[in-house]
Amino acid sequence: AQKITQTQPGMFVQEKEAVTLDCTYDTSDPSYGLFWYKQPSSGEMIFLIYQGSYDQQNATEGRYSLNFQKARKSANLVISASQLGDSAMYFCAMREPLNFNKFYFGSGTKLNVKP
Amino acid sequence: EPEVTQTPSHQVTQMGQEVILRCVPISNHLYFYWYRQILGQKVEFLVSFYNNEISEKSEIFDDQFSVERPDGSNFTLKIRSTKLEDSAMYFCASSAFESFGANVLTFGAGSRLTVL
C-alpha cells in the first residue's frame, strides 16, 4: 500500500486566490511526522511545513497552513494568496518512528499559478 | 542560512563508468541521506548515514552503490558501474535530529546524472 497518496497530478489557481493540495497517508503507528516540500523548476527541494501526529493545532508557516485531519488520515496543504512564484511541484512526505531516517514521498502535485 | 551543497550539478557519463557525487551537509547536522528522483517520478529514499556507518538503506541501494564520509565535511555517493536506469536527480540531505518531530530534512539542490 502507498504510504503517501497525492491524487492531484496538476492544479491551476488564479493569482491571489487560495489553493488546497491534497495528501492522504497510511500508517498504523500513532506517532509520525508529516511534511510538505516545494520543488521549483530549478529542481531543489524546499521544506515548507511540518505537522506532528500529536500536535493539537494545525501547523502554519506564513502563507502555508496544514489542514490536519487525523481521523481521515489527511494532511492537506493550503496556500493562501497564491503568487506566481508558488508555481512548482509540491510533495507531501511522512516519517514513521520505526524508520525515522526514511521519508516516504508522494508522487507530487504540479501547481500552476495563473496571472 | 546554512545549506547543503552538492557537486556536480549535472554529470553525463557512459554506461559502465563509475560516478562519484559529492555533498557537503550542514556542519552541525548528524544524519546524512541520499535520495533519488527519476524524471517525473516521486522522490525515493536510498540510504541514511549516521556515526560513520549506514543506518538504513532501501532495496534500490544495491552493491553498485556505496557511501562514505571521507573527511569531516564531505559525504559522497559512489555508483560503481552506471546503468541507463541510474539516470536521475540525486539529492543529498542532512538533519540535526534535535527530536523526532523536528527532524526536518534539508536538501541540497541535487545532482542530475545522465547515463548514456
Side-chain angles (χ1 to χ4, degrees):
Chain A
Q2 294 286 331
K3 290 281 187 182
I4 293 285
T5 302
Q6 294 180 253
T7 57
Q8 306 153 313
M11 292 275 288
F12 284 91
V13 65
Q14 202 69 39
E15 193 179 9
K16 299 180 185 172
E17 291 185 352
V19 63
T20 298
L21 307 184
D22 294 342
C23 172
T24 57
Y25 58 91
D26 181 30
T27 180
S28 56
D29 205 298
S31 178
Y32 49 89
L34 296 160
F35 303 77
W36 277 92
Y37 282 84
K38 173 184 177 181
Q39 187 179 43
S41 56
S42 50
E44 71 270 31
M45 296 282 286
I46 302 166
F47 166 71
L48 293 178
I49 196 166
Y50 163 80
Q51 179 85 44
S53 59
Y54 292 120
D55 292 345
Q56 297 294 316
Q57 309 263 356
N58 284 344
T60 60
E61 287 286 348
R63 294 186 298 111
Y64 304 109
S65 60
L66 203 150
N67 184 2
F68 181 45
Q69 306 213 4
K70 198 168 181 177
R72 295 184 179 180
K73 293 189 175 178
S74 75
N76 299 338
L77 176 71
V78 180
I79 305 175
S80 62
S82 298
Q83 301 172 356
L84 296 178
D86 294 334
S87 293
M89 280 289 283
Y90 288 82
F91 290 96
C92 180
M94 178 177 70
R95 190 189 65 243
E96 298 169 314
L98 187 63
N99 295 303
F100 69 86
N101 284 314
K102 184 176 179 180
F103 278 46
Y104 298 93
F105 282 84
S107 54
T109 296
K110 177 113 173 77
L111 177 66
N112 284 293
V113 180
K114 298 186 290 186
Chain B
E1 188 168 327
E3 60 180 21
V4 175
T5 57
Q6 289 186 241
T7 54
S9 56
H10 189 193
Q11 181 155 357
V12 180
T13 190
Q14 294 290 325
M15 192 169 56
Q17 295 295 305
E18 177 182 283
V19 162
I20 297 176
L21 305 179
R22 292 182 168 81
C23 170
V24 179
I26 293 173
S27 60
N28 64 344
H29 282 186
L30 301 176
Y31 291 84
F32 314 114
Y33 312 81
W34 284 100
Y35 281 77
R36 179 180 83 175
Q37 185 183 30
I38 295 170
L39 187 64
Q41 298 187 23
K42 67 173 70 175
V43 178
E44 301 173 292
F45 170 78
L46 290 178
V47 66
S48 59
F49 193 87
Y50 171 70
N51 200 25
N52 285 320
E53 61 182 23
I54 291 174
S55 50
E56 190 169 357
K57 60 183 181 179
S58 72
E59 59 276 6
I60 302 168
F61 194 86
D62 60 23
D63 291 345
Q64 71 161 340
F65 290 95
S66 63
V67 289
E68 65 173 358
R69 193 162 154 87
D71 53 42
S73 60
N74 290 287
F75 177 52
T76 62
L77 174 69
K78 182 192 288 186
I79 309 174
R80 286 192 186 81
S81 177
T82 49
K83 298 182 274 210
L84 295 176
E85 54 265 36
D86 293 328
S87 294
M89 180 77 96
Y90 288 81
F91 289 103
C92 176
S94 67
S95 67
F97 195 64
E98 293 153 356
S99 68
F100 170 74
N103 190 23
V104 175
L105 293 186
T106 302
F107 284 86
S111 292
R112 181 167 297 286
L113 176 64
T114 302
V115 182
L116 302 177

